[in-house]
Amino acid sequence: VHTTVSATVLDVCPKKGCWVKLQVNDSTEAFVKMKGYGFFVPLDLIRKTVVLEGNAFTVTTSVAELRHYAEDAKKSKAEIEAITTPKKEIKLVASGIKVVK
């Protein structure tokens, strides 16, 4: 589904800004990758509000992929090893992101 979303950034890939995690509302988070890795976001976006345009979908993310993102986020070995089940989540592939606040 093509959509526009306004949300608060919870986390950013500390390596190069290639993904972000958003707090869409009180009960919903979303994981965002940039379309075709065509652009990256500044690493200091945490707690800022962004508006993004892109495609949204629900997926089940594998343990291996969840652990990979945890490694990117520099989680501890114990936190990474504690990931033992796949996770159903909302993902977006962003074609554009704008910081609004």
Side-chain angles (χ1 to χ4, degrees):
V1 170
H2 192 77
T3 189
T4 301
V5 176
S6 176
T8 302
V9 176
L10 295 174
D11 203 3
V12 176
C13 174
K15 287 185 176 181
K16 59 183 173 183
C18 58
W19 56 258
V20 297
K21 190 181 290 186
L22 301 177
Q23 185 73 50
V24 179
N25 60 36
D26 289 343
S27 62
T28 305
E29 292 181 5
F31 186 84
V32 181
K33 285 184 167 184
M34 310 326 150
K35 185 176 180 178
Y37 286 97
F39 63 97
F40 302 105
V41 298
L43 303 182
D44 65 351
L45 283 187
I46 295 173
R47 291 185 293 282
K48 294 188 178 171
T49 301
V50 297
V51 173
L52 69 86
E53 183 175 331
N55 291 314
F57 47 96
T58 304
V59 298
T60 300
T61 306
S62 71
V63 170
E65 190 173 355
L66 290 168
R67 286 181 173 185
H68 170 77
Y69 295 131
E71 287 172 5
D72 280 354
K74 302 193 185 297
K75 301 292 183 184
S76 71
K77 183 177 180 182
E79 289 174 295
I80 293 166
E81 289 176 353
I83 300 169
T84 58
T85 56
K87 179 180 178 184
K88 188 172 183 176
E89 59 187 343
I90 297 170
K91 287 197 173 183
L92 293 110
V93 176
S95 53
I97 296 178
K98 179 179 181 179
V99 179
V100 293
K101 159 170 114 169

